[in-house]
Amino acid sequence: MTLFVQPPQPLALYGPDFAADPHGHYRRLREHGPVVPVRIAPGVEAMLVTDYQAAVDLLRDTHTFSKDPRAWQATVPPDSPVLPVLGHRPTALFSDGDEHARYRDAINDTLALIEPHILRAEVARVAQQLIGEFAATGTGDLIAQYARRLPLHVFITWFGVAPDDAERIVDGIGGMMNSAQGAAAAYADLVDVVTRLVADRRARPRRDLTSYFLAHPARLDNDETVRQITLVMSAGHDPTTNLIGNATLHMLTDERYAGSLHGGAMTAHEAINEVLWQDPPLANLAAHYPRHDTEFHGVRLRAGQLVLVSFGAANTQSAPAAPDAGARSGASAHLAWSAGPHRCPAKQPALLIAMTAIEQLTSQLCDAELAVPVSELLWRPGPFHRALAHLPVRFTPLDIRATAVPDERSATAPGSTSTVSIGS
């Protein structure tokens, strides 16, 4: 039996040191056992599950663990920067049992209305437009000019967000995920945008996802609708941006991809799958709280104590050992989408968006390469995500503005007389 000694001080999972080398932190944490104490913000501690099997056990154990954070939340300063992500709200993420099922049904049924072929066509069209905006310069930031903007457009179209509110949506989501000063204000601004949107759709329904949430048989009130939409947006935009960025970086730096976005033996699908194993866009989350004092994988946990799952640590511990991507590309046992009753409900749309986004890059910017050494790339600080701040590239200038595909979607910008074409 292996004996583990808990570290004298919880390791910090925030700040530039952690952002620059999360896997080094995970290796040190695993030396102390499958569940170890960490700090996720100044003065805020949690237990982090770094072991794959322990993570699976926790995610599926609804008898021992609850998703309701209110007992823990009462012990945290009300201005803590992690509360915009972890603080209780009436959503599927923070509920159990029948309440969770009610919220989850509304989310699942509404997202199921998105037709994959329409979504793919829309993403491809917008991707070509975005690439066309910087392709002639021979340089670009694939985060700021592409990966960040593409999922945003999807949200604007499908939820019916006014274009003037687009940047407020992104700033709100990004600010709350950074878990730094200003996180609470960022989340409050996101809620304000969605609150006004929900009030408008309650009075004047349209064919968009916001209106479908309001019309769902779950009979969500306005605040419940706002909270489910902000949950879907925050769990959808930032992680999808990170997945596009992380997978593109992987293709630019792994020799199996021939050092560029074109000409290698590996595909976008394989790059995405490898990143979901190695650098999942949500690295540490899945907050759970013991319903009572308990022992879990040899570690004593207190009732109401915050326990997080490190998808990044657990995945790398369990990742396929074969050096070739063939074994890895067909694998699907990673935890990047979580597991159990709270697994990600938007897996398929997120994969479709990321896959299409990267395929458009490979077909347009064939000789793109990093414009700076890998060591100079900056990662956004924060305990929850694995996110590039920028991804600068250079390539042969290409004027593709005139070759953009025509608008074949059924959706138009919010405020027009046309509507989004969503499956019934």
Side-chain angles (χ1 to χ4, degrees):
M1 178 178 179
T2 303
L3 296 178
F4 295 101
V5 178
Q6 293 293 288
Q9 294 292 331
L11 201 61
L13 298 190
Y14 58 92
D17 289 343
F18 173 70
D21 183 25
H23 292 292
H25 284 66
Y26 299 149
R27 285 192 295 273
R28 290 193 291 275
L29 288 169
R30 275 199 293 265
E31 293 173 358
H32 298 282
V35 186
V36 291
V38 294
R39 278 182 291 128
I40 58 173
V44 181
E45 295 188 7
M47 299 299 290
L48 187 71
V49 178
T50 63
D51 176 81
Y52 182 91
Q53 187 58 54
V56 172
D57 292 344
L58 181 143
L59 292 168
R60 294 176 176 172
D61 187 354
T62 59
H63 176 74
T64 305
F65 295 96
S66 169
K67 293 289 288 180
D68 190 330
R70 282 175 285 192
W72 165 81
Q73 191 172 335
T75 68
V76 179
D79 60 348
S80 173
V82 298
L83 287 183
V85 173
L86 299 177
H88 178 267
R89 295 179 286 279
T91 74
L93 187 61
F94 302 106
S95 56
D96 305 301
D98 292 342
E99 183 183 28
H100 170 254
R102 174 171 170 259
Y103 292 144
R104 180 77 179 211
D105 286 347
I107 292 173
N108 286 345
D109 294 346
T110 302
L111 292 180
L113 295 169
I114 299 176
E115 293 282 5
H117 71 281
I118 297 176
L119 178 59
R120 178 182 289 276
E122 173 68 5
V123 172
R125 187 189 67 81
V126 176
Q128 291 198 31
Q129 289 185 345
L130 293 176
I131 293 170
E133 291 178 5
F134 62 85
T137 68
T139 62
D141 179 351
L142 296 185
I143 299 299
Q145 293 176 282
Y146 190 69
R148 185 173 183 259
R149 294 178 61 192
L150 199 155
L152 169 63
H153 184 90
V154 173
F155 283 118
I156 288 176
T157 301
W158 294 92
F159 281 94
V161 177
D164 290 345
D165 287 331
E167 285 303 315
R168 291 179 65 190
I169 292 287
V170 172
D171 291 344
I173 295 169
M176 65 181 281
M177 291 302 296
N178 288 341
S179 299
Q181 187 175 9
Y187 177 68
D189 198 47
L190 172 65
V191 170
D192 178 67
V193 172
V194 179
T195 297
R196 290 187 292 104
L197 173 64
V198 167
D200 179 78
R201 293 303 189 270
R202 179 73 77 179
R204 292 172 291 277
R206 300 185 187 178
R207 285 182 58 83
D208 57 33
L209 295 187
T210 300
S211 300
Y212 280 109
F213 262 114
L214 289 165
H216 191 271
R219 301 180 64 85
L220 304 179
D221 63 29
N222 277 18
D223 184 60
E224 289 176 319
T225 305
V226 168
R227 302 301 176 170
Q228 307 323 306
I229 292 175
T230 55
L231 170 61
V232 171
M233 287 184 171
S234 59
H237 180 275
D238 213 52
T240 304
T241 294
N242 301 343
L243 181 56
I244 295 169
N246 295 359
T248 302
L249 174 64
H250 190 53
M251 296 184 76
L252 288 167
T253 55
D254 191 306
E255 62 181 11
R256 293 169 300 157
Y257 298 88
S260 71
L261 295 183
H262 181 72
M266 310 296 288
T267 66
H269 172 78
E270 290 165 322
I272 287 172
N273 195 68
E274 291 197 338
V275 161
L276 289 171
W277 274 107
Q278 298 169 3
D279 273 317
L282 279 181
N284 306 291
L285 202 53
H288 285 72
Y289 309 87
R291 298 179 186 273
H292 46 76
D293 291 351
T294 187
E295 182 174 306
F296 179 73
H297 281 256
V299 177
R300 297 295 301 176
L301 300 175
R302 304 186 310 274
Q305 186 174 15
L306 171 60
V307 184
L308 299 174
V309 173
S310 178
F311 303 123
N315 279 357
T316 52
Q317 180 202 39
S318 182
D324 62 291
R328 199 184 295 263
S329 64
S332 59
H334 60 69
L335 298 177
W337 306 107
S338 193
H342 288 269
R343 64 192 177 279
C344 177
K347 172 184 174 180
Q348 295 307 321
L351 279 173
L352 190 151
I353 292 170
M355 192 86 64
T356 306
I358 296 174
E359 288 171 349
Q360 289 297 314
L361 282 175
T362 64
S363 66
Q364 300 291 343
L365 308 181
C366 300
D367 62 347
E369 60 182 10
L370 279 180
V372 299
V374 175
S375 60
E376 294 184 10
L377 292 174
L378 296 178
W379 297 83
R380 288 167 50 199
F384 305 118
H385 55 211
R386 181 62 171 158
L388 283 163
H390 302 285
L391 184 56
V393 295
R394 56 176 173 254
F395 46 86
T396 301
L398 178 66
D399 188 353
I400 62 173
R401 289 171 294 178
T403 64
V405 296
D407 187 349
E408 296 177 349
R409 61 178 179 158
S410 300
T412 60
S416 69
T417 56
S418 298
T419 56
V420 176
S421 177
I422 302 176
S424 59

